Amino acid sequence: MAQMGRPRTFDRQAAVEQAMFLFWQQGYESTSLSQLKASLGGGISAPSFYAAFGSKEALFREAAQCYLDTFARVTQCLWDEGLAPRAAVELALRQSARMQSDAGHPPGCMVALGCMSAPTAEHAAVAAPLTASRARTRAGFVRCVERGMVSGELPADTDAAALASVFDSFLSGVSIQARDGVGYAVFDGAISQLMRVWDANRLTA
């Protein structure tokens, strides 16, 4: 039987990735349908766009999930209990800073910048997956501090939330500085300085 309908002229996964880069750079509200259609290529029409993705919001959710499944995994090591807690924190910081300053994609972190992606109440829900990812990263830093406390590396009365916030806030700042053109070499040196905060809290034998 002959195939009915006009065949798609674009690779769907590649289109989602292109949309991800555009949303990453501009955010949800600042990205227009015409910009999305242009970035997807193939001369896709509005009806074809809606047939493929349903809506701009649905495409954003797909793009956000694509980011979470790939670039955002640089902080997954925070949950690797095979790593010493200090090593897990440092690895997450260095991997994230390197990713955020890589020239092969928009600078910064789509998750961290997600708080500005859909700032109005009307569209706040669309960024919920990014909000959840930020919460998971914060929880990961807290988990590492708590593991350090349990192992006796850190004092039992350490304020886990406060110490974790030192590292989590640094990554949020990296997103802004990466947008301003600060390179990885600067972040690399800053992380070496930042890890002294952990070391200053260590128990001495």
Side-chain angles (χ1 to χ4, degrees):
M1 180 181 292
Q3 184 176 1
M4 301 298 291
R6 182 180 178 182
R8 288 178 179 169
T9 58
F10 65 97
D11 181 310
R12 194 178 192 287
Q13 182 56 36
V16 171
E17 292 174 2
Q18 286 302 310
M20 175 188 69
F21 291 134
L22 189 59
F23 284 129
W24 184 349
Q25 179 65 39
Q26 299 185 174
Y28 176 76
E29 291 190 356
S30 297
T31 300
S32 68
L33 178 59
S34 61
Q35 289 174 320
L36 285 168
K37 288 165 54 184
S39 74
L40 301 185
I44 184 171
S45 65
S48 295
F49 174 89
Y50 288 115
F53 302 110
S55 66
K56 174 184 166 182
E57 178 177 344
L59 177 54
F60 180 85
R61 292 186 184 279
E62 277 197 62
Q65 191 59 52
C66 181
Y67 183 91
L68 295 175
D69 291 340
T70 54
F71 295 98
R73 294 191 63 80
V74 290
T75 57
Q76 186 61 28
C77 57
L78 293 171
W79 298 95
D80 183 354
E81 303 215 354
L83 291 172
R86 184 190 185 283
V89 167
E90 183 171 9
L91 182 60
L93 293 175
R94 294 195 190 281
Q95 287 187 155
S96 182
R98 185 180 295 280
M99 181 278 291
Q100 293 193 55
S101 52
D102 192 295
H105 52 67
C109 170
M110 186 177 178
V111 169
L113 297 168
C115 60
M116 298 178 287
S117 185
T120 64
E122 179 185 1
H123 297 129
V126 76
L130 304 183
T131 302
S133 181
R134 290 195 301 275
R136 176 173 169 78
T137 297
R138 283 194 296 273
F141 282 122
V142 171
R143 177 61 183 156
C144 287
V145 175
E146 290 175 340
R147 287 205 294 127
M149 294 162 64
V150 170
S151 69
E153 181 180 351
L154 298 173
D157 62 352
T158 298
D159 186 333
L163 183 54
S165 185
V166 170
F167 304 114
D168 187 47
S169 298
F170 174 84
L171 284 189
S172 296
V174 167
S175 286
I176 303 302
Q177 291 198 29
R179 283 285 171 108
D180 287 340
V182 176
Y184 177 71
V186 173
F187 298 137
D188 189 50
I191 291 166
S192 295
Q193 295 292 323
L194 184 62
M195 293 311 300
R196 294 182 181 182
V197 176
W198 180 289
D199 296 336
N201 282 274
R202 271 179 159 168
L203 287 171
T204 56

